[in-house]
Amino acid sequence: MDPEEIRKTAESMVHGMGAVVFGVADLGEVTDESGEVSLSGLTTGICFGCRLSDVVLEGITDHPTRTYQYHYRQVNTLLDQIGLRLATYIQNLGYRAFPVPSSQIVNWDRLTGHVSHRTVGRLAGLGWIGRNNLLVNPQHGARMRYATVMTDLALPADEPLEDGCGGCRACISACPGGAIGEEPGDFNLEKCKETIEEIRKPANIGSRICGLCVKACHGKR
Ligand code: B12
Ligand code: SF4
Ligand code: SF4
């Protein structure tokens, strides 16, 4: 089957399951830190993203809500289902494919996943890394979650977008921890982590979530 045709089929499958963005990045060799899977030869990253519910995000005022926690898990499950379907489709064509979990941490010292969805998404043209350190999609802002399928199937790749925060600074004032600075490179991860530890206490949230810089970011509107 022609790679162009496979890409079209994959894209419509992913859209049919609820993702709103789809892109392909030619990554070269990627190392997995889990020690449990080898990504050797899996140089294509297919990234896709689903929107978060505006209704849920609007319910967040100064700390993450239990509803946001539930929703975050639901969207992760949806992304994992899409990744599984896509990886199964590719494997059945005779290639190797790994559905990278939407939110699994594999290195607890450095807090990293198998593969960074933000990096793959940026290289696949789905958005830019914003002042809030998130992948910002022009249409949906940072109100999105992502997952990736790594494969040795070579597909026509996309190009990164131009960075686009421009004059917007909405996330800077929204962050309760002062973690967001003038430039994306100024983002202070330590401050963010400390704030998340505090901010999730009022509603007794088990997951490391916050949601305020997600809610604030609408992209270009
Ligand atoms: C562990 C983790 C965390 C840790 C932080 C770990 C860390 N080291 O960064 C904690 C618990 C603190 C955390 C917090 C949050 N997280 Co989190 N997290 C992850 C997870 C599971 C792994 C991240 C990882 O491997 N990081 C390692 C580094 C190397 O990669 P990275 O930070 O993803 O990407 C960096 C490089 O790409 C680099 N980069 C690449 N190109 C460029 C270009 C420029 C110009 C610059 C400056 C940088 C740059 O900068 C990126 C950002 O630091 C991912 C899922 C995944 N597998 O990607 C979700 C993920 C990153 N989290 C996500 C979210 C939404 C959040 C929170 C908002 C919490 C919440 N849900 O409410 C906050 C946001 C904090 C923030 N503003 O960055 C989303 C981001 C979605 C989006 N729109 O971008 C992800 C992708 C989960 C998902 N499935 O969608 N997270
Ligand atoms: S997740 Fe919360 S603490 Fe971290 S940067 Fe976003 S708003 Fe700030
Ligand atoms: S809220 Fe505005 S400044 Fe912050 S990341 Fe989004 S677009 Fe960029």
Side-chain angles (χ1 to χ4, degrees), residues 32-36 101 104-109 111-115:
D32 183 302
E33 290 184 20
S34 69
E36 295 178 350
Q104 184 189 4
I105 296 177
V106 302
N107 181 326
W108 283 91
D109 295 330
L111 285 185
T112 55
H114 292 270
V115 172

Side-chain angles (χ1 to χ4, degrees), residues 39-198:
L39 299 182
S40 178
L42 308 193
T43 57
T44 302
I46 307 173
C47 189
F48 44 89
C50 292
R51 290 181 68 186
L52 290 160
S53 157
D54 290 333
V55 174
V56 173
L57 290 176
E58 280 150 20
I60 301 173
T61 51
D62 56 357
H63 63 76
T65 58
R66 295 183 74 80
T67 308
Y68 176 57
Q69 180 186 29
Y70 196 95
H71 184 59
Y72 148 92
R73 289 184 179 149
Q74 284 181 305
V75 177
N76 285 344
T77 302
L78 176 61
L79 286 161
D80 285 338
Q81 289 294 319
I82 298 172
L84 181 59
R85 278 282 294 276
L86 179 58
T88 301
Y89 166 68
I90 293 171
Q91 182 160 281
N92 287 343
L93 291 173
Y95 300 91
R96 286 163 58 73
F98 172 53
V100 181
S102 58
S103 221
Q104 184 189 4
I105 296 177
V106 302
N107 181 326
W108 283 91
D109 295 330
R110 299 204 316 119
L111 285 185
T112 55
H114 292 270
V115 172
S116 163
H117 304 311
R118 284 188 276 215
T119 301
V120 183
R122 185 183 76 78
L123 294 171
L126 301 186
W128 63 88
I129 304 294
R131 291 190 166 91
N132 59 10
N133 195 42
L134 296 172
L135 182 64
V136 181
N137 175 263
Q139 217 183 335
H140 305 294
R143 294 171 151 228
M144 302 270 297
R145 294 187 68 76
Y146 295 89
T148 303
V149 168
M150 297 294 299
T151 176
D152 58 359
L153 163 66
L155 291 175
D158 296 288
E159 294 292 327
L161 300 179
E162 293 288 310
D163 289 2
C165 285
C168 174
R169 285 174 177 72
C171 54
I172 298 180
S173 50
C175 173
I180 303 175
E182 192 51 34
E183 298 301 326
D186 297 338
F187 181 76
N188 188 326
L189 182 61
E190 287 312 310
K191 276 191 182 171
C192 169
K193 284 197 247 176
E194 284 163 20
T195 308
I196 287 180
E197 288 310 319
E198 283 307 309

